């Protein structure tokens, strides 16, 4: 089971391909706050709702100094389909090896319909301008989560 992050921890740096195969790294966002959210699979109902919520609130978040990066184990080609089908504006990156998911504590055992399974734990980590964890939220709900983050961050 991967370790969960806590406020004050250094956020693990990463460089992953986006939907177009371009490399996206956390380090390139230094000086801005970043909301890194982890979701199980593109093109599924809950993940679509969450990605659309982030897209709908992207201007508000960007205006408050936040960039948004969505991480899933999907391949870039599937992320491109997801982005195009849903007209998503958030940056989506692929982590098929699950290394970043694991480093952030977003991959491991979870309960699914009462059974214990290993998979992506829907999580959101807010990283400050210095690359430290400001907030780490695990087992979040897909619906209503973005509104809760905005409220919690006082945006």
């Amino acid at each position: 089971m991967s370790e969960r992050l806590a406020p004050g921890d250094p956020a693990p740096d990463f460089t992953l391909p986006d939907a177009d195969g371009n490399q996206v790294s956390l380090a390139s966002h230094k000086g801005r706050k970043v909301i890194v959210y982890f979701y199980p699979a593109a093109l599924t109902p809950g993940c679509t709702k969450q990605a659309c919520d982030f897209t709908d609130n992207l201007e508000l978040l960007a205006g408050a100094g936040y960039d948004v990066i969505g991480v899933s184990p999907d391949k870039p080609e599937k992320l491109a389909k997801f982005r195009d089908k849903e007209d998503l504006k958030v940056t989506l990156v692929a982590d098929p090896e699950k290394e970043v998911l694991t480093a952030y504590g977003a991959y491991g055992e979870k309960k699914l319909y009462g059974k214990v399974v290993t998979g992506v734990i829907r999580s959101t980590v807010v990283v400050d301008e210095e690359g430290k964890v400001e907030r780490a939220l695990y087992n979040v709900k897909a619906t209503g989560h973005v509104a809760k983050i905005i409220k919690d961050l006082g945006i």
Side-chain angles (χ1 to χ4, degrees):
M1 181 97 174
S2 48
E3 286 294 310
R4 293 191 168 183
L5 298 175
D9 287 349
D13 194 19
F14 60 82
T15 301
L16 293 170
D18 69 8
D20 298 314
N22 300 314
Q23 297 298 307
V24 173
S25 71
L26 184 62
S28 68
H29 291 266
K30 205 160 184 83
R32 285 187 59 84
K33 294 184 178 205
V34 185
I35 296 170
V36 185
Y37 79 97
F38 301 90
Y39 62 100
L43 300 165
T44 58
C47 297
T48 297
K49 174 79 179 114
Q50 189 177 21
C52 288
D53 281 354
F54 271 119
T55 292
D56 292 346
N57 289 285
L58 200 56
E59 266 183 51
L60 177 69
L61 290 164
Y66 290 88
D67 295 333
V68 179
I69 301 173
V71 182
S72 77
D74 298 305
K75 295 208 175 337
E77 303 78 37
K78 187 173 179 190
L79 296 179
K81 263 188 216 159
F82 186 34
R83 178 197 59 205
D84 298 344
K85 179 175 189 266
E86 303 298 336
D87 197 25
L88 300 174
K89 303 287 181 243
V90 293
T91 301
L92 301 174
V93 297
D95 184 19
E97 305 300 319
K98 301 173 189 75
E99 289 170 5
V100 175
L101 286 155
T102 301
Y104 275 79
Y107 187 82
E109 283 188 356
K110 63 179 184 174
K111 277 207 160 119
L112 188 67
Y113 306 115
K115 288 193 170 101
V116 175
V117 298
T118 300
V120 176
I121 300 161
R122 192 181 302 276
S123 312
T124 301
V125 176
V126 180
V127 180
D128 71 13
E129 300 90 340
E130 302 301 313
K132 296 237 184 288
V133 174
E134 191 175 294
R135 293 167 190 260
L137 310 161
Y138 294 94
N139 295 309
V140 301
K141 301 265 180 266
T143 307
H145 178 59
V146 176
K148 183 180 177 345
I149 289 173
I150 289 169
K151 184 173 176 270
D152 289 353
L153 294 174
I155 299 171

